[in-house]
Amino acid sequence: MKYDRLFGLLLTAIATIFPIYASHRYVLSLFFLSIAFVGYLGQWQLDLSRIRRIIAFLFVVLILTLHYRLVTPLTNSLDTMVSEMERILIAEYLIGIMALQFFLKVKKETFATIAMVGLTSILITAFAIKNSLVFQQLQIFGIPYLVLMIFCGNFTRIPTLYHHYRQLLVHHSVALTILILSVGLGWFTGSFWQKNQRQFYNFLLNTNTSPVLMDLLGYNNDETLGFADEVQLDSIHNIKTNDSDKIVLHIFSQSEPGYVRAKIYETYQNDEWISESIPIVVTPTVTIPENIELPKKSNIFRLQKDQLHTHAQSQTMDIWPDADLEVGFLNVLGSTIIEAPVSTIRINDNAEFDSDDLVGGVNYFIAKSDIRQDKIPSQATFEKYLKKPFYLNDSLAPLAKSIFKNTKTPKEKISAVKKYFHENYQYRLGIEIPEHEDPLEYFLLEQPAAHCEFFASGAAVLLRYADVPTRLVTGMITKERHPYLDCWVSRNKDAHAWVEAWDSEDQKWVLVEATVSEGQPGDMIAQQGGFVIDMIQFYFQKIRIMIFRGEYIILLQWILSGLLAILGFLVTNPLGILISILLLWMMLKKYKHIFKRKPKSESELLKLCHKMLKKMDRNLKRKGIWRSSSETLAQFSHRLSANHEDEYLNRVSEWYQKYAHVRYGAIHNIEKIIELEKSFPRK
């Protein structure tokens, strides 16, 4: 059983990585894995009887149940009694139970307990995942776990279960055959589901299947608030207040991305913005200007042919949206090129881009030229950008007339509306609208404090009364720098709304920021610990994308470069040097017998024997067992073996017999003494 603990630690590591990979929750899982590693080192081990183990297990379950009740909300709904995150929490608890096994003396059932608890944790995690990649993720983690579990289960039991090689060969052949069939069936089933799940869900929707059943089958049609085709004036507020500090966007760019567009709307009616623009399908391009730098590993699309300037400098952005950010291609005003792993993209008159092949969390590249030449909208499109809410004409027309008095050019009108809001309004996240009042009309006439959607909506509508075409944009303001990933990030709190207005003199769209300064997301200073966790989450996202794209060679190179970076940290950073010294000391302490000088003379061999005997006697004295000076080693060994329930004493008894044979044998050779030292019973 000397390999049980090592194999158990490997299984614990795999069972720990799966919930981390699936849920992006790291703290509890990594804490339990650290506990397991400490227990594996063998410094603290409890020799508990079966009854005491059961009592300890019940106590641990009590503590975990108490923690579960404290961190999860009460609910009276049966279908939401155990949510996705609560299932992940249960899986993490099982990892904690696996970790505690390493602090108990090794029993015959220890490995089986660790293996089965870990397998249960993996299955619970799989049931907690609600996305289309659940089967692929279960294959990635479940198959290696089962392979290691079967191999370790056989390897650690060979001495007691097998008596000849033929039986061993037959057993392993049958196990390997079953394993291959299981892997093949699982892989085929997962691949078939990946290809046909959309048709399956459509069939269920057409037959009016119960929403509860659809949810149990993993159907998820939710979209991120604020970035849908129809947006109300409180949508951005909902995003800002929902886990506000969560980082949902990473952009690798030389300069600050600033205003990153997600959705664009041109029609305002009944207190909501909608987009009626009809998209066209664009296929990949063959050539791009030499001044645009792209990886050229996926399909490349020209967004507007007349926007490209071969002599202008370009800026390339590598955009990594969060997997839960369900939106089309994020972009910036003036984007000219997109490189993405999709077959086609859709482009509408609002310069908004999307694709049916776009997978959440997959990165893509956007190129922006320093010299912009925007496409001039058609007359029909201009009419949409100038359409006013007719039911508000009587109240808003006089206000617009006073704001734009003595203004002639688009620039003057834009400056006037920004000045009006900045001088007369205050910012507050959230606004209370009296019953039966139109939200936008109440905001413009009563001037209450409000958030960005009201400022942007008010500016867009008022500019239309001054014959300036406008459209409302929702997205992220990206100004925060990540200290470890060398990229720019946006959090939920950075969600924002602004206006794009058409400057007829310069023939291009210009950004209009009507929100007062205190309501504009700016540079953030966050806790370094949050950035460290986000860095780990980003690396897991990167690994998922590489697996999704089949870039296994690149993944291997990336892992090797990461290991080299860790090695560099351990030998150059003061903290890394301290960690290196601690790890080296722990390894030397555990495997010091490997580095011991081999004694050569017979006197040195005898000294080594006496040293081992004294050490064993001391260990037993700590347990209250003394070897009498009148007892021979054989008699003392027989006395120890009388206690059949204590496995440790049985191993000590066998060791005393081996010692007597080696010490008082005719020949003292180094090989026998080294073997005796290796068989020294550990607590």
Side-chain angles (χ1 to χ4, degrees):
M1 291 185 291
K2 71 176 185 177
Y3 294 103
D4 279 10
R5 294 169 61 80
L6 175 60
F7 291 147
L9 184 64
L10 294 176
L11 292 179
T12 305
I14 297 176
T16 302
I17 294 174
F18 190 23
I20 292 176
Y21 182 93
S23 66
H24 301 170
R25 292 160 53 108
Y26 300 85
V27 178
L28 198 57
S29 296
L30 291 179
F31 171 76
F32 285 142
L33 182 59
S34 302
I35 292 296
F37 181 76
V38 172
Y40 168 75
L41 296 178
Q43 301 299 318
W44 301 280
Q45 286 193 351
L46 300 176
D47 189 8
L48 301 179
S49 64
R50 187 179 299 274
I51 297 298
R52 290 183 177 180
R53 289 190 180 214
I54 294 175
I55 295 175
F57 173 78
L58 293 177
F59 178 77
V60 171
V61 171
L62 177 64
I63 297 299
L64 294 179
T65 305
L66 178 61
H67 179 267
Y68 178 87
R69 191 68 282 158
L70 290 176
V71 301
T72 56
L74 292 171
T75 177
N76 296 322
S77 177
L78 181 62
D79 56 359
T80 59
M81 185 172 295
V82 183
S83 66
E84 176 182 348
M85 286 298 100
E86 291 171 357
R87 295 172 191 169
I88 294 292
L89 187 60
I90 295 174
E92 292 173 336
Y93 289 158
L94 293 177
I95 297 171
I97 294 176
M98 296 174 69
L100 294 179
Q101 295 293 321
F102 291 93
F103 289 89
L104 301 176
K105 282 290 185 62
V106 178
K107 301 286 185 180
K108 292 182 179 180
E109 66 274 9
T110 299
F111 176 82
T113 301
I114 294 176
M116 295 310 299
V117 171
L119 184 61
T120 305
S121 174
I122 287 179
L123 293 177
I124 291 177
T125 303
F127 282 114
I129 302 173
K130 290 186 177 181
N131 60 47
S132 59
L133 301 179
V134 56
F135 288 103
Q136 181 180 352
Q137 295 174 4
L138 186 58
Q139 291 167 1
I140 293 173
F141 293 95
I143 292 176
Y145 187 94
L146 289 175
V147 171
L148 186 62
M149 180 178 170
I150 294 174
F151 173 78
C152 300
N154 289 332
F155 185 83
T156 56
R157 285 156 177 76
I158 287 176
T160 57
L161 296 182
Y162 306 107
H163 304 286
H164 48 78
Y165 290 106
R166 183 177 180 181
Q167 184 181 1
L168 175 64
L169 180 61
V170 171
H171 181 89
H172 278 282
S173 299
V174 173
L176 183 61
T177 302
I178 296 175
L179 178 62
I180 293 175
L181 291 176
S182 301
V183 171
L185 179 62
W187 193 270
F188 172 79
T189 305
S191 302
F192 180 81
W193 175 253
Q194 291 288 330
K195 294 179 181 179
N196 298 279
Q197 61 175 330
R198 186 183 295 273
Q199 292 86 338
F200 176 70
Y201 285 142
N202 289 338
F203 170 76
L204 294 180
L205 290 173
N206 293 333
T207 56
N208 297 321
T209 304
S210 168
V212 175
L213 178 59
M214 294 290 291
D215 183 65
L216 291 175
L217 293 174
Y219 179 70
N220 186 7
N221 196 34
D222 297 333
E223 289 199 36
T224 303
L225 290 173
F227 299 141
D229 292 334
E230 299 179 359
V231 55
Q232 296 182 339
L233 295 184
D234 60 349
S235 300
I236 295 296
H237 167 266
N238 294 336
I239 295 180
K240 284 177 171 288
T241 55
N242 181 22
D243 196 4
S244 61
D245 287 324
K246 179 184 178 182
I247 295 178
V248 294
L249 178 63
H250 299 78
I251 298 181
F252 292 84
S253 173
Q254 292 182 352
S255 59
E256 179 184 287
Y259 289 77
V260 180
R261 309 157 85 237
K263 285 286 185 177
I264 301 95
Y265 315 90
E266 74 278 353
T267 303
Y268 178 80
Q269 59 184 22
N270 300 326
D271 79 348
E272 68 178 10
W273 287 89
I274 63 174
S275 176
E276 300 176 326
S277 181
I278 300 176
I280 60 173
V281 177
V282 177
T283 56
T285 186
V286 178
T287 60
I288 61 172
E290 296 180 356
N291 63 316
I292 297 179
E293 297 181 0
L294 292 170
K296 301 179 181 178
K297 295 181 180 179
S298 304
N299 288 333
I300 299 176
F301 302 86
R302 287 191 178 189
L303 305 180
Q304 297 292 343
K305 293 183 179 180
D306 55 352
Q307 286 183 336
L308 299 180
H309 295 268
T310 56
H311 301 293
Q313 293 183 350
S314 66
Q315 177 186 358
T316 302
M317 301 180 184
D318 183 7
I319 299 179
W320 290 78
D322 188 86
D324 297 330
L325 193 63
E326 297 184 10
V327 69
F329 291 102
L330 298 168
N331 62 88
V332 295
L333 184 61
S335 299
T336 56
I337 294 286
I338 288 182
E339 178 180 340
V342 297
S343 57
T344 60
I345 64 173
R346 299 189 302 271
I347 304 177
N348 62 19
D349 292 332
N350 295 329
E352 184 181 342
F353 322 116
D354 201 352
S355 175
D356 293 331
D357 304 331
L358 184 61
V359 177
V362 175
N363 71 308
Y364 46 87
F365 295 85
I366 298 288
K368 171 189 174 183
S369 177
D370 289 345
I371 301 178
R372 280 179 44 216
Q373 183 179 343
D374 295 340
K375 178 182 178 181
I376 301 177
S378 64
Q379 185 60 36
T381 305
F382 268 134
E383 291 178 0
K384 293 181 180 179
Y385 293 145
L386 290 170
K387 184 179 179 180
K388 311 174 190 67
F390 64 90
Y391 56 92
L392 298 179
N393 284 344
D394 293 341
S395 57
L396 298 189
L399 175 62
K401 184 176 180 180
S402 64
I403 294 174
F404 300 113
K405 184 179 180 180
N406 300 325
T407 60
K408 296 180 179 180
T409 66
K411 291 185 178 62
E412 292 176 346
K413 296 174 181 178
I414 292 172
S415 178
V417 77
K418 290 168 61 177
K419 181 180 179 181
Y420 171 75
F421 283 111
H422 293 173
E423 291 182 352
N424 297 283
Y425 285 80
Q426 293 181 343
Y427 180 86
R428 190 182 74 178
L429 191 57
I431 180 176
E432 295 182 3
I433 305 296
E435 192 175 358
H436 306 304
E437 289 280 356
D438 181 85
L440 183 58
E441 182 182 24
Y442 177 77
F443 168 73
L444 291 176
L445 298 182
E446 301 299 329
Q447 299 182 353
H451 57 274
C452 59
E453 282 171 297
F454 284 87
F455 287 93
S457 299
V461 171
L462 288 175
L463 282 171
R464 293 182 179 186
Y465 280 94
D467 295 326
V468 177
T470 59
R471 56 195 185 194
L472 182 122
V473 185
T474 59
M476 296 283 181
I477 292 186
T478 309
K479 294 184 177 182
E480 184 180 3
R481 191 72 174 173
H482 200 296
Y484 303 126
L485 292 177
D486 192 27
C487 68
W488 306 89
V489 297
S490 287
R491 306 172 185 268
N492 279 333
K493 66 171 68 173
D494 298 324
H496 195 53
W498 61 93
V499 179
E500 290 176 358
W502 179 258
D503 188 338
S504 57
E505 293 182 338
D506 295 339
Q507 296 290 293
K508 67 178 182 181
W509 291 96
V510 295
L511 190 148
V512 181
E513 180 56 271
T515 305
V516 294
S517 58
E518 56 266 28
Q520 302 174 21
D523 300 331
M524 305 287 181
I525 300 177
Q527 295 182 356
Q528 298 298 303
F531 280 121
V532 172
I533 295 175
D534 175 73
M535 178 179 65
I536 299 174
Q537 292 176 339
F538 178 78
Y539 283 145
F540 270 98
Q541 179 184 1
K542 198 167 186 178
I543 292 174
R544 289 199 302 269
I545 299 308
M546 290 180 181
I547 295 174
F548 171 78
R549 293 179 174 176
E551 300 174 344
Y552 300 109
I553 301 299
I554 299 177
L555 175 60
L556 180 60
Q557 294 174 347
W558 182 75
I559 292 176
L560 291 176
S561 63
L563 293 176
L564 291 176
I566 294 175
L567 181 61
F569 168 78
L570 293 177
V571 298
T572 59
N573 189 279
L575 179 60
I577 295 175
L578 181 61
I579 295 175
S580 301
I581 295 174
L582 180 61
L583 291 175
L584 183 61
W585 176 78
M586 295 171 63
M587 294 295 292
L588 288 175
K589 186 174 182 181
K590 186 168 183 61
Y591 302 104
K592 59 184 178 181
H593 64 275
I594 299 177
F595 305 98
K596 285 185 177 180
R597 184 181 67 87
K598 295 182 179 180
K600 297 181 179 180
S601 65
E602 185 171 351
S603 61
E604 287 184 292
L605 295 177
L606 292 176
K607 288 181 180 179
L608 182 58
C609 287
H610 286 304
K611 186 177 180 180
M612 285 190 289
L613 183 61
K614 289 181 179 180
K615 183 177 180 180
M616 180 57 70
D617 289 340
R618 285 196 304 268
N619 290 346
L620 291 178
K621 287 179 181 179
R622 295 191 185 101
K623 296 178 67 68
I625 302 175
W626 296 73
R627 180 168 63 90
S628 173
S629 58
S630 61
E631 275 184 310
T632 65
L633 293 177
Q635 292 172 340
F636 185 56
S637 173
H638 180 72
R639 181 158 64 93
L640 292 175
S641 62
N643 188 356
H644 299 289
E645 295 183 357
D646 195 323
E647 184 181 352
Y648 173 71
L649 293 181
N650 289 333
R651 288 189 284 120
V652 171
S653 174
E654 294 177 0
W655 185 86
Y656 272 108
Q657 294 179 10
K658 291 181 182 179
Y659 178 87
H661 178 73
V662 173
R663 172 66 180 83
Y664 300 109
I667 301 176
H668 299 149
N669 60 54
I670 184 62
E671 287 76 16
K672 290 184 178 180
I673 294 181
I674 291 178
E675 183 180 352
L676 180 65
E677 186 180 18
K678 288 183 177 179
S679 64
F680 192 90
R682 309 291 176 183
K683 292 184 179 181

